[in-house]
């Protein structure tokens, strides 16, 4: 280590008490984090790409500074979805510092990693006050049955109004309208649940019927329309 001549000539004043870093909440404990291995927690957050044309929701479960579980959900360009596949392979097993300085290919995923890093090292995690933290596999709970992201796709025009295309319940097949042509309900298919049933040997037609549901005053509609073609 090189010191300037000015510093070398200075009188040495002893340092007073070392209070250390402020403790942060981690998995039900208050921790003075001094090294990466002192960090644990599960959290999720969102990042965006440079032109703000796509976004990534990233969920990380960190134990002793190591990413042990990652869930990468993206919306935007097709390249982003492929980047998510790469990020899923890259992230686990790395320390959060390594991951912060790793090229995760997509701007949105890199930004999400940066935002999550800040949450985790400041103790702003969903598991901050959960004793022992959350088990590995907790990230899947965000997906629900069928392991499918909960998304909303809504399209509308001034001329022809709104079209619900997909909501948390599932893929929208019909919109229910009242006599004034206002939306009063919809029919949906739980795609993840349907595909799971088919993979276990259920006849596709039966699986479709068993995975179909209604919301709102669907049965009382004056008219039903296909939101994609009508």
């Amino acid at each position: 280590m090189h010191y300037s001549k000015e510093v070398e000539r200075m009188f040495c004043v002893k340092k007073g008490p070392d209070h250390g870093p402020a403790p942060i909440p981690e998995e039900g404990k208050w921790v003075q984090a001094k090294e990466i291995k002192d960090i644990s927690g599960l959290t999720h957050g969102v990042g965006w790409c440079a032109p703000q044309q796509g976004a990534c929701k990233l969920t990380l479960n960190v134990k002793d500074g190591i990413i042990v579980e990652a869930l990468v959900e993206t919306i935007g360009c097709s390249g982003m979805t492929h980047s998510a596949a790469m990020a899923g392979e890259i992230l686990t097993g790395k320390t959060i510092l390594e991951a912060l300085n790793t090229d995760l290919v997509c701007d949105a995923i890199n930004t999400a990693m940066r935002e999550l890093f800040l949450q985790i090292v400041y103790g702003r995690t969903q598991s901050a006050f959960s004793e022992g933290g959350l088990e590995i596999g907790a990230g899947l709970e965000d997906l629900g049955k069928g392991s499918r992201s909960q998304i909303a796709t809504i399209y509308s025009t001034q001329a022809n109004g709104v079209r619900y295309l997909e909501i948390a319940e599932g893929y929208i097949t019909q919109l229910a309208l009242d006599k004034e042509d206002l939306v009063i309900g919809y029919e949906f298919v739980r795609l993840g649940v349907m595909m799971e049933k088919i993979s276990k040997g259920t006849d596709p037609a039966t699986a479709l019927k068993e995975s179909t549901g209604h919301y709102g005053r669907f049965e009382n509609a004056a008219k039903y329309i296909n939101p994609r073609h009508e």
Side-chain angles (χ1 to χ4, degrees):
M1 190 178 298
H2 180 71
Y3 293 94
S4 69
K5 294 296 182 182
E6 291 79 6
V7 172
E8 286 181 343
R9 288 196 295 265
M10 286 181 180
F11 181 82
C12 181
V13 178
K14 289 186 178 180
K15 184 180 180 182
D18 181 7
H19 297 291
I24 59 174
E26 291 185 28
E27 302 190 338
K29 298 180 294 184
W30 288 94
V31 178
Q32 284 189 307
K34 298 181 179 180
E35 301 178 43
I36 290 297
K37 65 181 179 62
D38 297 330
I39 301 293
S40 293
L42 181 142
T43 194
H44 46 227
V46 176
W48 53 95
C49 65
Q52 298 185 13
Q53 293 174 351
C56 167
K57 179 187 175 188
L58 182 61
T59 303
L60 297 179
N61 197 350
V62 177
K63 302 289 185 185
D64 301 323
I66 304 292
I67 298 171
V68 295
E69 179 185 13
L71 172 63
V72 188
E73 301 172 87
T74 62
I75 182 168
C77 66
S78 58
M80 182 183 289
T81 64
H82 291 80
S83 298
M86 296 179 68
E89 294 192 29
I90 291 170
L91 285 169
T92 52
K94 286 186 177 292
T95 69
I96 54 172
L97 184 59
E98 285 180 297
L100 179 67
N101 289 287
T102 297
D103 182 7
L104 299 173
V105 187
C106 169
D107 278 351
I109 305 174
N110 282 315
T111 303
M113 182 63 229
R114 181 194 70 197
E115 297 302 306
L116 262 64
F117 180 88
L118 293 175
Q119 289 181 33
I120 295 166
V121 297
Y122 284 129
R124 271 65 168 180
T125 64
Q126 277 66 51
S127 59
F129 300 102
S130 301
E131 189 173 350
L134 300 180
E135 65 180 2
I136 301 169
L140 286 174
E141 293 180 9
D142 275 359
L143 301 181
K145 293 182 178 179
S147 297
R148 183 175 168 84
S149 296
Q150 297 186 56
I151 60 174
T153 306
I154 311 296
Y155 177 74
S156 65
T157 63
Q158 182 179 7
N160 294 314
V162 71
R163 299 293 188 275
Y164 300 175
L165 303 176
E166 188 154 354
I167 305 185
E169 293 94 337
Y171 179 94
I172 306 301
T173 55
Q174 291 188 86
L175 288 184
L177 309 180
D178 65 11
K179 61 183 180 181
E180 296 179 352
D181 292 336
L182 296 172
V183 177
I184 60 171
Y186 48 83
E187 179 182 74
F188 59 86
V189 177
R190 300 180 184 90
L191 291 180
V193 173
M194 183 182 75
M195 294 306 298
E196 205 168 79
K197 288 178 179 290
I198 292 172
S199 70
K200 292 179 179 178
T202 303
D203 173 72
T206 303
L208 175 61
K209 184 177 180 181
E210 292 177 351
S211 304
T212 298
H214 303 132
Y215 181 82
R217 293 182 286 125
F218 186 83
E219 291 80 4
N220 302 326
K223 182 189 302 182
Y224 300 97
I225 65 169
N226 183 319
R228 291 169 175 78
H229 304 296
E230 295 181 76

